[in-house]
Amino acid sequence: MTTTSTVATDDLPDTTRRYLDLLRSALTCSLWDGGDGSLWEPRGGAKRVVARAVRRTGMEIVKRATPQDRRDGLDWPRLAHTMTGERRMRNLQECTERVILDGVAGDLIETGAWRGGACILMRGVLAAYGVTDRTVWVADSFEGLPAPDSERYAADAGDRHHEFTELAVSVEQVRANFHRFGLLDDQVRFLQGWFRDTLPTAPIDRLAVLRLDGDMYESTTEALTALYPKLSDGGFCIVDDYGAVPGCRTAVEDYRAAHRVTDPITGIDWTGIYWRKNAPSTST
């Protein structure tokens, strides 16, 4: 696996570049140098009692986060619209720009959207380039993650993502987040439900960018099985949790082996990776 995430893009007008930089920084809350803070989920009876008492006063307990944590996506931010750090968001922007500039056919999707930040960025890139014939698909249960089905997916045995209430963000809240950035329109479509129910029948013909952020083996393999065959040659497959969640990594490796995917994997940061499907010889 290589270790650089640079995807060259053509020059943009200065105002367009500034807009995309500002949008990305606002979505990650990196403009505030860690001032956002990290979510605190009380564990244990005593901590829950304290948390309830604090909430009754109209206050909340927030963990401190460093600017580096936010840049690397190591925290669960209190206000930012994405957990994804700056390097992974920049990679997503560059991949989206690259498929536009190269004329790679297809829509864009993220499977596992949380507050919608990555999808908002993709929609912002389309707006910045004046692209009106592509859709951004936002796929999520909007109820958090499923309990592990260890009989079908042994790699998910003991997985606890379903216990974290912080991961459940309603579709209404995600729509509102798009609206705040002026990017909620008919080029944004929502796929609400478990991936096993929504992705196989999703009305998607072709994809140019496939971004996976489902954490678990099940979520990752369901997305790859349903959507990777729809990814155009020259399109990008991006995996957010490859380094962070062993189940996700195993799902990616199993799928690539079973389907003889040999495109080289490129590392983005400590957890994110991507590859370009049947990359054209001119890609950089």
Side-chain angles (χ1 to χ4, degrees), residues 64-184:
R64 291 181 179 178
T66 68
Q68 187 63 45
D69 285 346
R70 186 79 293 268
R71 284 193 294 270
D72 291 342
L74 290 167
D75 58 347
W76 286 18
R78 172 173 165 264
L79 298 175
H81 288 72
T82 178
M83 290 187 195
T84 305
E86 168 68 15
R87 291 169 69 185
R88 273 171 278 154
M89 286 287 274
R90 185 180 291 276
N91 165 263
L92 176 61
Q93 176 185 332
E94 292 172 344
C95 289
T96 304
E97 290 177 298
R98 188 73 265 160
V99 297
I100 293 170
L101 294 168
D102 287 355
V104 178
D107 294 335
L108 308 96
I109 191 171
E110 182 178 45
T111 59
W114 197 48
R115 294 174 180 162
C119 292
I120 293 170
L121 178 62
M122 289 192 286
R123 180 64 189 93
V125 173
L126 297 184
Y129 279 81
V131 175
T132 60
D133 59 351
R134 297 181 193 253
T135 296
V136 174
W137 297 85
V138 188
D140 202 291
S141 71
F142 303 101
E143 298 177 6
L145 276 78
D149 183 352
S150 56
E151 290 188 6
R152 293 183 63 200
Y153 304 107
D156 283 337
D159 189 280
R160 297 181 58 195
H161 281 94
H162 65 290
E163 298 178 7
F164 296 107
T165 58
E166 304 96 329
L167 298 178
V169 181
S170 70
V171 66
E172 292 80 13
Q173 183 59 61
V174 177
R175 289 177 64 89
N177 291 341
F178 271 89
H179 181 72
R180 288 190 180 98
F181 288 90
L183 293 170
L184 182 64

Side-chain angles (χ1 to χ4, degrees), residues 6-103:
T6 300
V7 180
T9 58
D10 293 356
D11 290 336
L12 283 177
D14 184 60
T15 52
T16 304
R17 180 60 60 197
R18 285 174 183 243
Y19 163 71
L20 290 174
D21 286 347
L22 182 60
L23 176 62
R24 191 181 63 250
S25 297
L27 290 167
T28 59
C29 229
S30 58
L31 290 171
W32 292 271
D33 291 332
D36 181 0
S38 186
L39 292 169
W40 181 66
E41 179 72 10
R43 303 292 177 186
K47 289 183 178 180
R48 291 192 182 96
V49 170
V50 171
R52 285 195 294 268
V54 169
R55 281 196 291 268
R56 282 197 293 269
T57 68
M59 298 186 292
E60 61 182 338
I61 299 173
V62 180
K63 294 169 63 177
R64 291 181 179 178
T66 68
Q68 187 63 45
D69 285 346
R70 186 79 293 268
R71 284 193 294 270
D72 291 342
L74 290 167
D75 58 347
W76 286 18
R78 172 173 165 264
L79 298 175
H81 288 72
T82 178
M83 290 187 195
T84 305
E86 168 68 15
R87 291 169 69 185
R88 273 171 278 154
M89 286 287 274
R90 185 180 291 276
N91 165 263
L92 176 61
Q93 176 185 332
E94 292 172 344
C95 289
T96 304
E97 290 177 298
R98 188 73 265 160
V99 297
I100 293 170
L101 294 168
D102 287 355

